[in-house]
Amino acid sequence: MTLIDRLYRRIADAGHVCLGLDTDISYLPDQLKKDNACDALFHFNREIIDATLDTAAVYKVQIAYYESLGLRGLNAYMKTLGYLREKNAIVIADVKRGDIAKTAEMYAKAHFTGDFEADFITLNPFMGMDTLEPFFPYLDAGEKGLFALVATSNPGACDIEGIIASDGESVSDKTGAMIKEKGVRFTGDCGYSLIGAVVGCTNKVQTKQIRSRLDGVFFLIPGYGAQGGKAEDMAGYLDKNANGGVVNSSRGILLAYKKPEYSGLGFAEAARAETVRMRDEILSAVKGKEV
């Protein structure tokens, strides 16, 4: 069973939540701030992981939050990735690398092996499809995967992704088509490829036909919650089996303990409660809309 088959089955069991461990020091409750900042960061992540293992399909760890703290921050990043793998959780390293030739090869080695090893990594393909190719040898065994940016959730996404070519297709459309073509050779039994796409649920570039155009491409869907995306916004991105994508939430879960509805709960308990609420909201939206 390939990694994408594992993720597909995990969604069927646990729902669509991708829990983003994009953890800023300011998110930590006061009682943890008494510790060394980077030790506290890992402690916070570990408690949330333990509380949500049965309710999150996958975890996404954004490296920038850890890089900003220097070597000690990267140690917390390494420990977080290692703990997730120890718990047999599926982990996406959100690194958005995008370069060519030997440099891309070194990025692949850095994030698919060693201290920073993850299952999936995010890539920026806008320098060209050759930026993806150095990662392919790691996909051949079926145990690693990629999510390439196609239609992102940021307000300025249309600046480049929305540019329309002479044939009437946008940069986003063309990127998605090339990602799909590159991914065919890495298709698992579930019908999806180990090369997926980042498709934001707040972005207006993509058309209503994005799922049919990118059949066989698994979606990482950011923009839910703090960025304004709703469960119904992403329901149409899933396939007829209500699978084929995970929905990321970071701040909405990490800071759930500050919400009035979770008053009296610890940060990990509140994160679990918010993950369950999000999971159920998405499942309800999916059931209520033909996909």
Side-chain angles (χ1 to χ4, degrees), residues 76-90:
Y77 176 78
M78 176 188 71
K79 290 170 69 175
T80 298
L81 294 179
Y83 191 71
L84 285 164
R85 292 176 63 78
E86 178 185 320
K87 294 295 183 179
N88 201 35
I90 300 173

Side-chain angles (χ1 to χ4, degrees), residues 50-252:
D50 286 344
T52 58
L53 273 170
D54 63 332
T55 60
V58 61
Y59 294 82
K60 182 180 74 68
V61 190
Q62 167 51 260
I63 196 171
Y65 288 81
Y66 305 86
E67 286 179 326
S68 68
L69 299 171
L71 292 177
R72 290 189 300 172
L74 285 174
N75 186 58
Y77 176 78
M78 176 188 71
K79 290 170 69 175
T80 298
L81 294 179
Y83 191 71
L84 285 164
R85 292 176 63 78
E86 178 185 320
K87 294 295 183 179
N88 201 35
I90 300 173
V91 57
I92 302 167
D94 193 357
V95 297
K96 295 186 179 71
R97 301 304 190 222
D99 216 314
I100 60 171
K102 194 68 177 181
T103 304
E105 185 181 326
M106 291 299 101
Y107 279 139
K109 182 178 180 180
H111 296 289
F112 278 153
T113 69
D115 292 342
F116 300 149
E117 183 178 1
D119 298 311
F120 289 94
I121 62 174
T122 59
L123 296 179
N124 184 337
F126 292 116
M127 279 181 66
M129 292 299 110
D130 58 331
T131 64
L132 305 184
E133 291 170 3
F135 296 85
F136 291 174
Y138 294 91
L139 275 60
D140 284 332
E143 297 178 358
K144 301 297 179 187
L146 309 172
F147 283 106
L149 303 183
V150 170
T152 56
S153 60
N154 56 301
C158 290
D159 293 348
I160 294 175
E161 295 167 22
I163 293 174
I164 305 300
S166 58
D167 61 2
E169 290 197 329
S170 69
V171 169
S172 179
D173 292 334
K174 289 182 173 296
T175 304
M178 288 185 280
I179 292 296
K180 176 180 175 179
E181 181 182 3
K182 289 289 186 182
V184 170
R185 64 181 271 201
F186 301 112
T187 301
D189 292 339
C190 64
Y192 285 96
S193 171
L194 288 163
I195 303 180
V198 178
V199 180
C201 67
T202 61
N203 189 280
K204 306 306 179 185
V205 172
Q206 62 268 27
T207 68
K208 294 179 181 179
Q209 292 78 35
I210 193 166
R211 169 43 70 203
S212 59
R213 285 193 292 106
L214 298 183
D215 58 305
V217 180
F218 198 94
F219 293 159
L220 169 59
I221 309 169
Y224 177 93
Q227 293 186 51
K230 307 295 184 183
E232 54 268 25
D233 295 330
M234 48 69 57
Y237 292 171
L238 304 180
D239 62 23
K240 63 182 180 181
N241 298 316
N243 209 314
V246 289
V247 184
N248 183 74
S249 177
S250 300
R251 283 170 287 170

Side-chain angles (χ1 to χ4, degrees), residues 258-281:
K258 295 188 175 184
K259 297 179 180 180
E261 59 265 40
Y262 301 129
S263 176
L265 295 182
F267 68 87
E269 294 174 297
R272 176 181 175 79
E274 177 63 14
T275 303
V276 170
R277 186 207 62 75
M278 176 181 168
R279 178 198 66 190
D280 292 348
E281 181 180 71

